[in-house]
Amino acid sequence: MARPKKYKYAIHLAKPEVQEYSDFLTDAARAKISSGAATYGGENIVIGDHAIVYTFAGPPIPPRWLKQVQHCFPKVEDFASNSVSALILFRKSNRIFAATFGFAHSFIDAAMRENEFGLRVAINRIKDSDVRTIEKSNLGSAVRDLAQAARRSSLDMFKIDDALEVVRQISGDVSEDGSSIDSVSGASVMKVTSEATLDGIGSVAEEALQLFSSKAYQSSQFKIIDMLRQERDKSTEQILFQAAVESIKAKQDRFELALPEILTDERIGYVKFTGARIRGEFPDVSLRDYVDGLGGGLAALTVDDLWKHRLVVYDSASFEELRSWPIAQALIGSTSHGGETYVANEGSWYQVADGVVSSAELAFNDALIGLDARLDKIRLVPRQKDGATHTTYETEGEYNLRVAEDFGFLCMDRELLPDPVGRKLGIELCDLFDPTERRLILVKRSSRRSSTLSHFFRQGVTAARLFYVDEKFRRQAFDRFVDLSGGSFKDDSIITEPREFRFEFRIVDHPRPSGEFRIPFFSRLSLRDEFQILKGMGFQAKLGFVPQE
């Protein structure tokens, strides 16, 4: 018996307030329709309760391989082909849907769409044992990952157990009898395979709408998705950015600026703000400098301004522009809306479960220690380039060397110990070693980027694990301490009693207006998890700050 034919559909759901088909389309789509660049294909009362269709022809484009072929075969003539797409708009259960084919998805207005439609349908229809693929991103490491299983697999096989991981898309097969959906892949758009032909797509949409509103997933492993989720609704995003603007105008300390991209401190010379008529160079990224620079213009600050004003970073050696970003993309901090906590990170907003927020805050407060007079302020240094003077901060390397010499530490910055496994060129145990108090001190600038600090904490845990389990590694550390101290270091308990030594993480930063030092929310989550590992090995682990001049 022949298998029944299956069809693939991409279906979008409009928000409840969208009552007219045209309101679900972008300005570009409406312009094509009104100008005749799109072809109206009539009505249909079988698809859903009512449906219309438009087709769009793309511009003639030569195939990518044509030039290579013509290079070898000059007689092959030029030619181009048009891509064609179709957009079906239909009503079902008092809601508007769209089925898109080809590039027609680009004509749907994301601000008018339910942007968790596909994901919610997927987690309510797929069993947590029938997952095929998961796309996720880790906010602590800035890595996006697509994990695929060769067969139906349990959700826990995909290791979504990190509080910093956001699930963006889930795909899987549907094993439930009576469903019009055979498999589903869900993010903003619901992509399904179904035996239903196009005239039966209304039943698929009706089933999906019920799944979209269901909370059944909360009784499965999929409930982990609610721990941390990206806010995809455009109107809610606008509300959250407006709350951030009001906080900035009130000069509260709920938000800060951070570089949205990993740049080593050796590369960061100074920063500027453009598009806001703010003059001058600044040695570090600071919301306070942006706010002060706006002056009387602060009262008129808008959300649009956050996207128009830019943060520009200049190279410490050439003093040429490295990168620039909108202020909105550099904004970090948190606010509340509808009784939920939202956190800003790299231009996006994330809703965080209350339990996650409280555990991160508790871990941060438990680890925090005060300033240390022996860990001096990082200093401003004038640097010359082409007759001009630019003021920048010391690099980590310059700071560590100076503090070690001035206060009797051993500078371990760039002192690599052999990796026992051989996977790396070497392991940096710490930046500074305090032989008097047995402190292994790690120092990091650029404290306001979550992935930078997450890597900082993990780097310390990697070194601590080797320090704990590998006696040869500890002997190599002892020998290096002896060499750097000129033979004065003789404490061989480092070999026999490694847990007598304390790991101390020190972050270079300026305090918030309240006088407190903070790190981003997602960095506090990383700290919570990594410090649990350190404590599990029996080490004391503490977090402190180094002020800036």
Side-chain angles (χ1 to χ4, degrees):
M1 182 177 176
R3 292 182 179 180
K5 188 172 182 179
K6 295 183 180 181
Y7 303 88
K8 293 183 178 181
Y9 303 108
I11 302 176
H12 312 244
L13 173 63
K15 290 182 177 180
E17 60 265 30
V18 176
Q19 295 297 311
E20 301 295 334
Y21 290 144
S22 60
D23 293 338
F24 199 18
L25 305 180
T26 63
D27 291 340
R30 288 194 291 267
K32 286 181 177 291
I33 292 170
S34 62
S35 67
T39 302
Y40 175 62
E43 296 179 285
N44 182 295
I45 58 173
V46 176
I47 297 176
D49 300 324
H50 177 266
I52 61 173
V53 63
Y54 292 100
T55 56
F56 302 82
I61 299 175
R64 295 179 180 178
W65 45 262
L66 181 60
K67 286 188 177 181
Q68 293 189 63
V69 172
Q70 288 176 327
H71 178 74
C72 297
F73 301 92
K75 292 183 179 180
V76 173
E77 297 180 355
D78 289 334
F79 67 91
S81 59
N82 298 78
S83 59
V84 181
S85 66
L87 170 63
I88 297 175
L89 296 158
F90 65 96
R91 298 179 187 272
K92 188 66 180 179
S93 302
N94 297 316
R95 297 290 292 271
I96 289 180
F97 295 82
T100 56
F101 302 87
F103 58 84
H105 61 87
S106 63
F107 297 132
I108 298 296
D109 186 349
M112 295 292 104
R113 180 176 61 194
E114 296 280 14
N115 286 315
E116 286 203 336
F117 175 55
L119 182 63
R120 294 286 161 176
V121 171
I123 62 179
N124 278 305
R125 176 49 74 212
I126 302 168
K127 291 182 179 179
D128 55 20
S129 57
D130 291 342
V131 180
R132 286 281 193 177
T133 63
I134 285 182
E135 182 184 348
K136 57 185 179 176
S137 59
N138 190 297
L139 300 178
S141 61
V143 171
R144 182 170 286 198
D145 175 45
L146 179 65
Q148 184 169 354
R151 62 183 69 86
R152 295 179 180 183
S153 300
S154 175
L155 183 66
D156 55 16
M157 295 293 291
F158 292 87
K159 298 181 180 179
I160 309 175
D161 54 3
D162 193 319
L164 290 167
E165 288 189 326
V166 177
V167 175
R168 299 185 180 277
Q169 180 172 309
I170 289 181
S171 303
D173 297 327
V174 176
S175 55
E176 185 175 329
D177 292 336
S179 174
S180 61
I181 299 171
D182 294 306
S183 67
V184 58
S185 176
S188 296
V189 183
M190 179 187 72
K191 297 181 179 180
V192 298
T193 59
S194 174
E195 293 179 17
T197 55
L198 186 58
D199 54 7
I201 200 174
S203 62
V204 177
E206 186 173 35
E207 179 184 348
L209 184 61
Q210 294 174 352
L211 293 168
F212 174 62
S213 303
S214 173
K215 300 293 183 183
Y217 73 92
Q218 294 178 346
S219 299
S220 71
Q221 293 181 35
F222 288 126
K223 65 183 179 182
I224 194 173
I225 288 173
D226 286 343
M227 300 294 285
L228 176 66
R229 70 171 190 85
Q230 184 176 354
E231 182 54 63
R232 294 180 172 88
D233 184 78
K234 300 301 180 182
S235 59
T236 302
E237 277 191 341
Q238 186 71 11
I239 291 170
L240 296 171
F241 273 117
Q242 185 59 47
V245 167
E246 297 305 320
S247 177
I248 292 169
K249 289 161 74 170
K251 298 188 177 181
Q252 298 170 340
D253 61 356
R254 289 159 53 190
F255 291 88
E256 247 300 350
L257 296 180
L259 297 182
E261 182 177 308
I262 297 176
L263 295 173
T264 61
D265 77 297
E266 285 84 357
R267 295 205 67 188
I268 303 171
Y270 59 90
V271 302
K272 287 184 175 182
F273 299 101
T274 61
R277 298 181 179 179
I278 298 175
R279 296 182 178 180
E281 303 171 356
F282 304 93
D284 197 16
V285 181
S286 170
L287 181 63
R288 186 186 314 166
D289 291 332
Y290 173 67
V291 168
D292 291 346
L294 289 173
L298 177 62
L301 185 69
T302 67
V303 174
D304 285 345
D305 290 334
L306 295 183
W307 291 101
K308 293 175 183 177
H309 299 170
R310 300 186 71 83
L311 170 68
V312 188
V313 177
Y314 291 82
D315 187 84
S316 59
S318 66
F319 296 109
E320 295 179 352
E321 181 178 327
L322 275 177
R323 285 293 308 275
S324 72
W325 305 268
I327 295 296
Q329 195 174 341
L331 197 67
I332 59 171
S334 64
T335 190
S336 297
H337 172 64
E340 303 289 348
T341 299
Y342 290 86
V343 178
N345 189 67
E346 298 182 14
S348 297
W349 290 89
Y350 299 86
Q351 183 183 324
V352 186
D354 289 341
V356 176
V357 174
S358 58
S359 66
E361 193 66 20
L362 182 64
F364 175 75
N365 291 331
D366 182 60
L368 191 62
I369 56 177
L371 299 178
D372 185 337
R374 296 174 67 199
L375 292 168
D376 193 19
K377 289 182 178 180
I378 192 167
R379 295 177 181 174
L380 291 168
V381 179
R383 305 185 193 272
Q384 301 290 326
K385 177 69 176 180
D386 298 331
T389 301
H390 304 276
T391 301
T392 70
Y393 280 112
E394 295 172 293
T395 65
E396 285 176 23
E398 292 169 336
Y399 173 80
N400 291 329
L401 283 171
R402 177 176 63 81
V403 169
E405 183 176 338
D406 290 349
F407 296 96
F409 298 125
L410 301 181
C411 183
M412 289 287 289
D413 189 11
R414 293 185 173 83
E415 293 286 340
L416 299 180
L417 302 177
D419 179 3
V421 183
R423 291 177 298 182
K424 299 180 179 179
L425 294 176
I427 302 294
E428 192 175 275
L429 177 59
C430 59
D431 293 302
L432 296 167
F433 175 59
D434 179 1
T436 304
E437 299 183 16
R438 293 178 169 180
R439 291 188 296 166
L440 299 159
I441 304 170
L442 297 93
V443 180
K444 175 59 65 178
R445 277 191 62 194
S446 305
S447 73
R448 279 167 267 114
R449 179 178 168 84
S450 294
S451 52
T452 298
L453 285 185
S454 296
H455 176 73
F456 177 51
F457 297 140
R458 287 174 183 149
Q459 190 177 33
V461 169
T462 299
R465 186 178 286 113
L466 285 173
F467 188 67
Y468 175 63
V469 303
D470 197 304
E471 181 179 334
K472 182 179 179 182
F473 184 79
R474 294 195 299 272
R475 288 186 179 277
Q476 291 168 338
F478 173 76
D479 292 341
R480 193 66 56 89
F481 291 161
V482 171
D483 290 343
L484 292 173
S485 67
S488 64
F489 180 75
K490 302 182 184 299
D491 186 359
D492 61 0
S493 66
I494 190 174
I495 300 172
T496 58
E497 299 292 338
R499 286 179 291 190
E500 295 298 318
F501 292 75
R502 183 173 91 180
F503 280 86
E504 190 170 300
F505 296 79
R506 289 281 176 173
I507 298 169
V508 178
D509 201 5
H510 57 256
R512 298 291 177 90
S514 64
E516 295 181 323
F517 286 91
R518 303 287 289 172
I519 60 176
F521 171 76
F522 295 120
S523 298
R524 298 200 292 276
L525 280 179
S526 291
L527 179 148
R528 180 198 66 182
D529 296 343
E530 303 302 332
F531 276 36
Q532 283 179 350
I533 297 172
L534 290 171
K535 291 177 180 179
M537 290 186 283
F539 289 113
Q540 288 189 64
K542 291 296 179 181
L543 172 71
F545 290 84
V546 173
Q548 295 170 314
E549 194 173 66

